[in-house]
């Protein structure tokens, strides 16, 4: 059974940076594109409202993990496009390792007899 973001909000809170940095590892993107890519990759399980994503992007930029640049295309609204920095790539690797350790431990405890495809 698929859970919606409302049911997963507490799990998502501590991992938003990991998700955003993971998308940006594959190339620069704007806020809507990042949200769309997270939703697509999670097979519509994780959904971000842009008003919750932009503060995360601003924090990541302030911390030097991503950089943003305005892209202006004639006839379209300007878009701020974000790219991961070297510091961000290092942080992503650390966050991913921590997440793997945590999720594997939870599965060992909670999965006892209830293993799910991961």
């Amino acid at each position: 059974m698929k859970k919606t973001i409302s049911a997963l909000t507490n799990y998502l809170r501590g991992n938003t940076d990991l998700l955003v940095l993971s998308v940006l590892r594959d190339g620069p993107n704007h806020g809507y594109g990042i949200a769309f890519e997270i939703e697509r990759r999670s097979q519509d399980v994780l959904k971000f409202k842009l008003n919750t994503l932009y503060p995360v992007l601003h924090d990541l930029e302030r911390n030097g993990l991503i950089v943003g640049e305005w892209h202006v295309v004639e006839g379209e609204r300007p878009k701020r496009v974000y790219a991961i920095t070297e510091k961000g790539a290092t942080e992503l690797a650390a966050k991913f390792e921590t997440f793997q350790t945590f999720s594997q431990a939870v599965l060992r405890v909670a999965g006892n007899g209830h293993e799910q495809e991961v």
Side-chain angles (χ1 to χ4, degrees), residues 35-96:
F36 175 81
E37 191 61 19
I38 290 170
E39 186 174 332
R40 185 189 70 76
R41 291 183 191 185
S42 72
Q43 298 177 343
D44 298 325
V45 174
L46 305 176
K47 298 179 188 221
F48 277 94
K49 293 181 180 173
L50 293 179
N51 62 346
T52 60
L53 182 60
Y54 281 111
V56 171
L57 292 169
H58 296 155
D59 285 344
L60 291 171
E61 189 171 19
R62 191 172 25 259
N63 292 324
L65 303 177
I66 64 173
V67 292
E69 182 178 289
W70 286 103
H71 284 218
V72 180
V73 175
E74 191 174 326
E76 295 181 14
R77 293 178 59 181
K79 295 177 185 169
R80 188 142 178 96
V81 175
Y82 299 92
I84 193 169
T85 63
E86 189 175 319
K87 181 180 177 183
T90 300
E91 182 72 11
L92 171 59
K95 286 182 176 295
F96 185 72

Side-chain angles (χ1 to χ4, degrees), residues 14 17-18 21 65 90-100:
D17 291 0
L18 171 65
L21 291 171
L65 303 177
T90 300
E91 182 72 11
L92 171 59
K95 286 182 176 295
F96 185 72
E97 184 177 334
T98 300
F99 177 79
Q100 277 189 307

Side-chain angles (χ1 to χ4, degrees), residues 102-115:
F102 174 77
S103 62
Q104 289 168 357
V106 168
L107 287 171
R108 284 192 300 271
V109 173
N112 187 19
H114 304 284
E115 287 77 15

